[in-house]
């Protein structure tokens, strides 16, 4: 599967085994099997937060943060901690001013990470048990796996704000996100397209309604053709061209333009796809791969794009 699937799906699978490593004194709270990060309301230090790697106390305002997660990098910059970020992984390409390095979040090199002398490392997966390795050399670490709902996204942003000394700014970010999303949903047509197909890559991997991405479509009242597909239980089934054509989705969302060069024109040229309702009505949305696969502040852009497309189809 492509990088986009790894960044969303694999981190969820690995999160369950990542409850060891950084300084801890208790377990993280959970809800429905998913880790629910929590943070104290205080903007002063020390602060104590609950992450997937347990209870973590941050003694002083971090000034040399290393991020091994593109989504958490976006959160750090959104809450105003940009001047505290020393280095980010190779895929943290947004915003433009992020200090991108060759560090890998998928195969982290402990020695390379430590070479930046971090006083806080944030990551979304414990690949190679790097959390334990960082703890062994005295580096404070926050493990924040992929969110499974908007509420978890809000909680992570506010945790990042508290952990970096920007609790008030983080609260403002989540407040604005909630208001913008509510506004988008309120403007969505009461009646419109009924079904959607979300394409992760050119081998037809998709998402079900139980995933973070799939929940966005559910918010608009759309049925997801992947929900009834073989392998739907994984959340990320691989569909067949025949299945997609037979399902005849009203809307197609392409999240594989960058990785695979897929465009609405290429979709229309696939054998049998010209007869799909979404193709006939020009309701094939090409959206930035990263925006469609990350659960941070830019999820608002994803939701807005979907809302605009649905309004256009209904009109």
């Amino acid at each position: 599967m492509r990088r986009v699937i790894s960044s969303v799906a694999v981190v969820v699978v690995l999160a369950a085994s990542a409850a060891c490593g950084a300084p801890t004194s208790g377990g993280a709270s959970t809800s429905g099997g998913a880790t629910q990060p929590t943070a104290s309301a205080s903007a002063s230090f020390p602060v104590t937060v609950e992450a997937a790697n347990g209870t973590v106390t941050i003694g002083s305002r971090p000034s040399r943060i290393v991020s091994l997660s593109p989504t958490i990098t976006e959160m750090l910059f959104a809450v105003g901690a940009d001047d505290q970020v020393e280095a980010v992984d190779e895929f943290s390409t947004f915003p433009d001013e992020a200090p991108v390095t060759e560090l890998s979040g998928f195969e982290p090199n402990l020695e390379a990470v430590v070479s930046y002398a971090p006083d806080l490392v944030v990551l979304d997966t414990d690949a190679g048990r790097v959390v334990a390795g960082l703890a062994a050399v005295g580096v404070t670490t926050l493990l924040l796996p992929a969110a499974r709902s908007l509420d978890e996204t809000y909680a992570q942003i506010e945790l990042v704000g508290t952990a970096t000394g920007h609790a008030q700014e983080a609260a403002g970010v989540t407040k604005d996100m909630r208001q913008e999303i509510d506004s988008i949903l309120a403007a969505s047509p009461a009646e419109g397209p009924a079904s959607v197909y979300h394409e992760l890559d050119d081998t037809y991997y998709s998402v079900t309604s139980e995933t973070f991405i799939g929940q966005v479509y559910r918010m608009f009242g759309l049925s997801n053709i992947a929900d009834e597909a073989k392998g739907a239980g994984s959340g990320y089934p691989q569909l067949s061209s025949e299945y997609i054509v037979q399902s005849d989705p009203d809307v197609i969302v392409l999240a594989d333009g960058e990785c695979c060069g897929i465009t609405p024109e290429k979709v229309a040229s696939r054998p049998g796809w010209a007869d799909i309702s979404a193709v006939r009505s020009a309701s094939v949305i090409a959206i930035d791969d990263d925006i469609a696969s990350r659960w941070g502040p830019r999820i608002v852009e994803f939701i807005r794009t979907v809302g605009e497309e649905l309004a256009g189809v209904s009109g």
Side-chain angles (χ1 to χ4, degrees):
M1 291 187 281
R2 304 280 180 177
R3 173 171 64 89
V4 65
I5 304 176
S6 297
S7 64
V8 178
V10 175
V11 291
V12 174
V13 175
L14 293 179
S17 60
C20 60
T24 63
S25 60
S29 60
T30 59
S31 175
T35 299
Q36 288 277 7
T38 60
S40 66
S42 174
S44 60
F45 289 87
V47 296
T48 297
V49 298
E50 296 284 349
N53 54 310
T55 304
V56 181
T57 297
I58 302 170
S60 59
R61 182 180 185 270
S63 60
R64 298 182 62 85
I65 302 171
V66 171
S67 173
L68 301 181
S69 163
T71 299
I72 303 177
T73 296
E74 294 187 18
M75 292 180 182
L76 287 164
F77 277 76
V79 303
D82 41 300
D83 64 340
Q84 299 160 252
V85 179
E86 182 68 20
V88 300
D89 71 286
E90 59 186 328
F91 293 126
S92 286
T93 54
F94 184 90
D96 292 339
E97 58 268 32
V100 178
T101 67
E102 295 183 356
L103 292 174
S104 171
F106 295 115
E107 298 179 351
N109 181 298
L110 180 61
E111 183 177 344
V113 174
V114 173
S115 72
Y116 288 94
D119 50 14
L120 177 65
V121 174
V122 292
L123 65 169
D124 58 30
T125 180
D126 190 18
R129 293 181 56 81
V130 67
V131 171
L134 289 166
V137 295
V139 177
T140 303
T141 306
L142 291 177
L143 178 62
L144 304 176
R148 299 183 183 181
S149 68
L150 279 173
D151 284 342
E152 287 191 29
T153 286
Y154 300 142
Q156 284 192 6
I157 292 172
E158 292 177 5
L159 184 152
V160 167
T162 298
T164 59
H166 298 275
Q168 185 173 352
E169 295 93 328
V173 170
T174 57
K175 179 181 178 181
D176 289 345
M177 289 176 65
R178 292 176 191 273
Q179 291 177 341
E180 289 185 61
I181 292 172
D182 286 345
S183 178
I184 294 168
L185 294 176
S188 179
E191 295 184 6
S195 60
V196 63
Y197 161 59
H198 183 102
E199 182 168 294
L200 286 175
D201 71 1
D202 58 357
T203 64
Y204 309 136
Y205 272 97
S206 189
V207 298
T208 70
S209 296
E210 299 307 311
T211 65
F212 183 88
I213 299 170
Q215 289 178 24
V216 170
Y217 300 121
R218 180 184 290 169
M219 291 163 59
F220 287 100
L222 293 170
S223 64
N224 190 325
I225 70 167
D227 288 349
E228 302 301 323
K230 180 179 180 181
S234 70
Y236 300 87
Q238 183 178 27
L239 312 183
S240 67
S241 177
E242 294 77 13
Y243 178 88
I244 297 166
V245 171
Q246 183 178 4
S247 298
D248 191 28
D250 296 303
V251 175
I252 294 175
V253 179
L254 303 175
D256 52 1
E258 182 179 348
C259 77
C260 316
I262 302 302
T263 64
E265 292 74 24
K266 288 186 177 181
V267 167
S269 68
R270 291 171 176 171
W273 286 52
D275 293 328
I276 294 177
S277 295
V279 176
R280 293 202 316 270
S281 64
S283 301
V284 180
I285 313 169
I287 190 167
D288 181 274
D289 300 26
D290 290 339
I291 292 176
S293 65
R294 296 178 186 174
W295 60 95
R298 288 198 293 166
I299 187 65
V300 175
E301 295 183 37
F302 178 41
I303 294 172
R304 180 180 295 109
T305 300
V306 174
E308 290 174 349
E309 178 65 24
L310 296 182
V313 173
S314 298

